[in-house]
Amino acid sequence: MVLRMRRWRLNSGYNGATDQRRTQAGTIPMLKHYMERNLGQFEFVYGLWTPAQITTELWLDADDASTITLNGSNVSAWNDKSGNGRNATQTGTAQPLYSSTGLNNRPALDFDGTDDDLVLSSVSNLNSVSQSWFIVAKRDNASGRTEIPFGIGNKVESDGLSDIPRWTDNKMYSQLGYVANRPAPVSVISDAPYINCVTGGAVQLSYTNGTLIGTGTTQSLSNFSVSDGGYVGSGRALSFSNRYFDGKISELIIVPSVATTQDRQLIEGYLAHKWGLTANLPADHPYKNSAPTV
């Protein structure tokens, strides 16, 4: 009897959920043992994990050219990949530029910091603090003024304005709803590309490149309304005159839950390897050296 080399792909509808990862972690060794005994030598082939494996509320991806509508060199529409139809558009003259090499020689939308932004067609179901937001971006100028790459709500901060991240005095923090006792990070964040994440809940956690930079206590979304709108490239609070972002945005993901450490690191790993930011992850990050797979 001759045993032939065989090549197998294991992909059985895995969607990235924690319980499925645990099941798969226990199943793969048993399946491998069975196949070695009965089918000879083989090689497992894994696919790379993406947010398509999980439920997302919003997913904007500059690397997917099919989701971007150009008006010359400007972006008039950036379509949502979540399946919820929350497309971001701008019909006026304040359209960001598209750059195929804008962030680490990868695609990005370039916002001018003056009036560029894209408006979400819907923010329904986004007026909740029980979510987690992720963004890959790069600020162009350390101006010291307040700049917001992505925000929801155009009222005053205490009414439940949400944004990720917020640059103030060259320091970075984020919030979902109104957050009290929110410390800005002690150190100044440079204008290098970064991955920023904020997980909601009673106590919100803000991470940059996989490292915790601040916490805050959620107070309320008392007067927040989905009619207030959502903006890519700005945060239009009525109590502030200028919160436009001067920089590049490559990807934005919102998931409808407070991410566990394991799930947060999964998304960070996907983003870091996709956008060339693995050097920014801490040494003990589980996806420092290899991208997450399915």
Side-chain angles (χ1 to χ4, degrees):
M1 178 179 180
V2 178
L3 296 178
R4 298 173 183 268
M5 291 288 289
R6 299 183 182 222
R7 187 173 176 87
W8 299 82
R9 180 177 295 276
L10 183 63
N11 190 350
S12 57
Y14 169 61
N15 67 10
T18 301
D19 58 343
Q20 285 190 308
R21 283 201 298 276
R22 289 172 178 164
T23 300
Q24 196 179 51
T27 300
I28 288 176
M30 291 187 291
L31 180 60
K32 181 175 184 293
H33 176 72
Y34 172 82
M35 294 174 72
E36 285 176 337
R37 286 175 59 92
N38 293 278
L39 299 175
Q41 293 180 331
F42 69 95
E43 176 187 359
F44 272 97
V45 180
Y46 296 95
L48 292 178
W49 184 93
T50 77
Q53 311 295 325
I54 60 174
T55 299
T56 53
E57 290 287 355
L58 177 68
W59 180 14
L60 301 176
D61 179 6
D63 196 43
D64 187 345
S66 69
T67 67
I68 295 175
T69 302
L70 293 178
N71 174 23
S73 58
N74 296 326
V75 177
S76 60
W78 195 4
N79 289 344
D80 178 18
K81 295 174 66 172
S82 73
N84 294 309
R86 295 189 176 97
N87 301 329
T89 62
Q90 178 57 264
T91 58
T93 59
Q95 297 173 345
L97 291 171
Y98 174 78
S99 172
S100 62
T101 58
L103 189 146
N104 270 2
N105 291 317
R106 293 162 173 83
L109 275 64
D110 188 352
F111 296 82
D112 65 4
T114 301
D115 59 3
D116 285 357
D117 65 7
L118 299 171
V119 183
L120 291 183
S121 58
S122 170
V123 292
S124 176
N125 296 328
L126 297 184
N127 58 330
S128 169
V129 296
S130 297
Q131 298 176 345
S132 300
W133 293 12
F134 299 80
I135 193 169
V136 175
K138 175 186 180 297
R139 192 175 63 157
D140 284 342
N141 295 297
S143 64
R145 66 182 177 86
T146 297
E147 300 181 40
I148 298 175
F150 177 70
I152 293 179
N154 60 10
K155 294 185 177 180
V156 298
E157 186 173 35
S158 59
D159 284 337
L161 181 73
S162 300
D163 51 50
I164 178 172
R166 180 185 302 179
W167 291 87
T168 300
D169 297 328
N170 294 326
K171 296 182 179 181
M172 181 194 293
Y173 55 88
S174 303
Q175 66 181 46
L176 298 179
Y178 178 53
V179 181
N181 305 317
R182 178 194 54 231
V186 175
S187 60
V188 174
I189 305 296
S190 70
D191 294 319
Y194 60 83
I195 302 167
N196 189 237
C197 163
V198 58
T199 62
V203 177
Q204 295 185 21
L205 305 176
S206 182
Y207 297 84
T208 297
N209 299 322
T211 299
L212 182 67
I213 63 169
T215 65
T217 304
T218 303
Q219 295 298 294
S220 71
L221 282 171
S222 57
N223 297 315
F224 183 87
S225 169
V226 295
S227 64
D228 291 339
Y231 307 93
V232 182
S234 70
R236 299 184 184 182
L238 296 181
S239 54
F240 298 91
S241 60
N242 187 352
R243 287 187 166 192
Y244 289 96
F245 181 61
D246 183 3
K248 317 294 195 301
I249 301 176
S250 289
E251 192 155 358
L252 174 65
I253 301 167
I254 297 179
V255 296
S257 61
V258 179
T260 64
T261 297
Q262 187 176 24
D263 290 337
R264 172 181 58 79
Q265 291 175 332
L266 186 72
I267 297 173
E268 289 169 343
Y270 153 78
L271 293 171
H273 285 270
K274 178 176 180 177
W275 299 104
L277 299 173
T278 55
N280 295 358
L281 296 177
D284 60 351
H285 197 283
Y287 302 107
K288 173 75 170 179
N289 299 312
S290 60
T293 59
V294 295

